[in-house]
C-alpha cells in the first residue's frame, strides 16, 4: 500500500539526531520562559482571584515557598532533559512541574494561548525516544538500543504549532475577515497592540501607526496573515519543500513581528515549536564539510 506524505513523515525511521538537538534546545528554552514569566510573582495576588483551569482545580492558591521550590526543581529537570540525562524521567517531571507553574500564570482570570505549543510539546517528548541521540544517556549506554521511529515525535511537535495557526485562520474566516481584511488589520494594530502597549507603558514605533492610514497596505497584510494561517498545514507535507519553507517562513516572520516590533509579549514562546522544523542533521553536515574543506585547503598550502 502506498503511503501518503503525511504517513511517510510520521512513520519514517531516522532523524534521531534532529530530535535530540530539538530536545536540548527546547528544554533550555522552556526554563528560560519560566524565568521570564516568573510564576512566583503571581502568588502575591489575593487568594480570591485564584480561578484555576480544570487540571489545577484540585490545587489551592499557591504560596511563595511552594512555587519557588517547584521552580527550582523544574530548572534542574529542564537541565537534565536538555543534556539527555535519564531523559524519560527528566522530561516527564519537567512537563508536570512546567504544567503546574505555567498553569499558575493562567489561573488568575486570563488564559494566555501563547504558551499552548510549548506545553503541548512538553507533554509529547516524555513519550518519545528523544534521548537516543545527542544525549548523556547515549554516551553512558555506549550507543542506541535499536533504531526507533523519531519522525512521529517531530511531526506531533510541528502539529502543536500548525493546529493553532489553522484554527486562528478558520476563526477569521467565520468572522468578517474575508469581507474587510484591511479594516481588521488596522483595528488590530491601532486598538489591540497600540492600546495594549500604552496600558503597559511600552512605546511602539510611531511609523507603524502612520502605516495604518494606507488602506491597500493594511488589506495586503490582512490577506497575507489569513493565507499564512490557513496554509499552515502545508508545512506538514514533506514532498512540497517550497510550500513548507514559504509557510513556515511567513508564520515565523509574522509572529516575530508581533513579538519583537509590536512587543505583545516579554518573549517569543512560539519559537520552541519552530525548532522542530529545522533539519539540524543537514546543518551540522554542512558545517562539517566546511571545516573539512578548510583543513584540506590549509594542508595543501602548507604542503602537508
Amino acid at each position: 500500500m502506498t503511503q501518503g506524505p503525511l504517513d511517510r513523515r510520521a512513520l519514517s525511521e531516522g532523524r534521531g539526531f534532529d530530535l535530540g538537538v530539538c530536545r536540548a534546545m527546547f528544554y533550555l528554552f522552556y526554563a528560560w520562559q519560566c524565568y521570564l514569566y516568573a510564576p512566583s510573582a503571581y502568588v502575591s495576588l489575593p487568594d480570591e482571584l485564584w480561578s484555576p483551569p480544570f487540571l489545577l482545580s484540585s490545587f489551592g492558591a499557591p504560596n511563595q515557598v511552594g512555587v519557588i521550590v517547584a521552580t527550582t526543581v523544574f530548572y534542574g529537570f529542564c537541565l537534565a532533559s536538555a543534556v539527555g540525562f535519564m531523559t524519560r524521567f527528566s522530561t516527564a517531571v519537567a512537563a508536570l512541574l512546567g504544567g503546574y507553574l505555567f498553569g499558575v500564570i493562567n489561573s488568575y482570570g486570563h488564559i494566555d494561548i501563547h504558551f499552548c505549543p510549548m506545553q503541548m510539546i512538553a507533554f509529547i517528548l516524555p513519550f518519545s525516544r528523544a534521548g537516543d541521540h545527542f544525549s548523556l544517556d547515549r554516551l553512558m549506554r555506549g550507543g542506541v538500543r535499536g533504531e526507533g521511529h523519531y519522525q512521529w515525535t517531530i511531526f506531533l511537535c510541528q502539529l502543536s504549532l500548525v493546529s493553532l495557526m489553522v484554527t486562528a485562520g478558520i476563526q477569521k474566516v467565520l468572522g468578517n475577515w474575508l469581507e474587510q481584511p484591511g479594516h481588521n488589520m488596522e483595528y488590530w494594530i491601532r486598538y489591540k497592540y497600540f492600546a495594549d502597549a500604552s496600558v503597559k507603558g511600552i512605546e511602539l514605533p510611531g511609523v507603524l501607526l502612520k502605516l495604518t492610514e494606507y488602506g491597500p497596505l493594511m488589506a495586503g497584510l490582512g490577506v497575507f496573515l489569513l493565507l499564512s494561517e490557513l496554509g499552515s498545514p502545508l508545512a506538514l507535507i514533506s514532498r512540497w519543500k517550497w510550500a513548507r519553507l514559504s509557510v513556515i517562513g511567513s508564520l515565523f516572520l509574522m509572529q516575530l513581528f508581533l513579538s519583537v516590533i509590536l512587543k505583545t509579549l516579554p518573549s517569543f514562546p512560539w519559537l520552541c515549536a519552530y525548532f522542530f522544523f529545522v533539519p539540524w542533521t543537514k546543518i551540522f553536515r554542512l558545517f562539517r564539510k566546511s571545516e573539512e574543506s578548510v583543513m584540506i585547503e590549509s594542508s595543501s598550502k602548507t604542503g602537508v
Side-chain angles (χ1 to χ4, degrees), residues 33-44 62-64 67-68 71 74-75 97-98 100-105 108:
Q33 295 304 292
C34 185
Y35 171 78
L36 287 178
Y37 287 92
S40 59
Y42 289 78
V43 301
S44 61
N63 60 72
Q64 189 78 25
V67 172
I68 290 176
T71 303
F74 171 73
Y75 288 153
L97 289 174
Y100 172 73
L101 292 170
F102 284 98
V104 167
I105 297 174
Y108 287 92

Side-chain angles (χ1 to χ4, degrees), residues 241-299:
K241 294 183 179 180
W242 60 270
R244 293 183 61 211
L245 289 173
S246 60
V247 168
I248 291 302
S250 61
L251 287 176
F252 179 78
L253 291 176
M254 179 263 291
Q255 291 190 313
L256 194 65
F257 175 79
L258 294 178
S259 298
V260 176
I261 305 300
L262 295 182
K263 301 177 182 178
T264 54
L265 295 167
S267 67
F268 186 12
W270 299 76
L271 179 63
C272 63
Y274 289 97
F275 295 159
F276 295 85
F277 287 94
V278 180
W280 298 108
T281 301
K282 294 181 180 179
I283 292 175
F284 275 77
R285 285 174 180 169
L286 286 175
F287 276 112
R288 186 177 299 173
K289 288 182 180 179
S290 177
E291 289 178 357
E292 290 176 353
S293 62
V294 170
M295 291 176 63
I296 293 173
E297 183 178 352
S298 176
S299 299

Side-chain angles (χ1 to χ4, degrees), residues 49-59 103 106-108:
L49 297 179
W50 175 251
S51 180
F54 173 75
L55 291 178
L56 292 184
S57 58
S58 59
F59 292 87
N106 289 274
S107 295
Y108 287 92

Side-chain angles (χ1 to χ4, degrees), residues 135-151:
S135 65
L136 288 179
D137 286 344
R138 173 171 179 151
L139 291 176
M140 291 187 295
R141 287 196 302 260
V144 179
R145 296 176 181 175
E147 190 70 12
H149 294 285
Y150 305 105
Q151 186 61 44

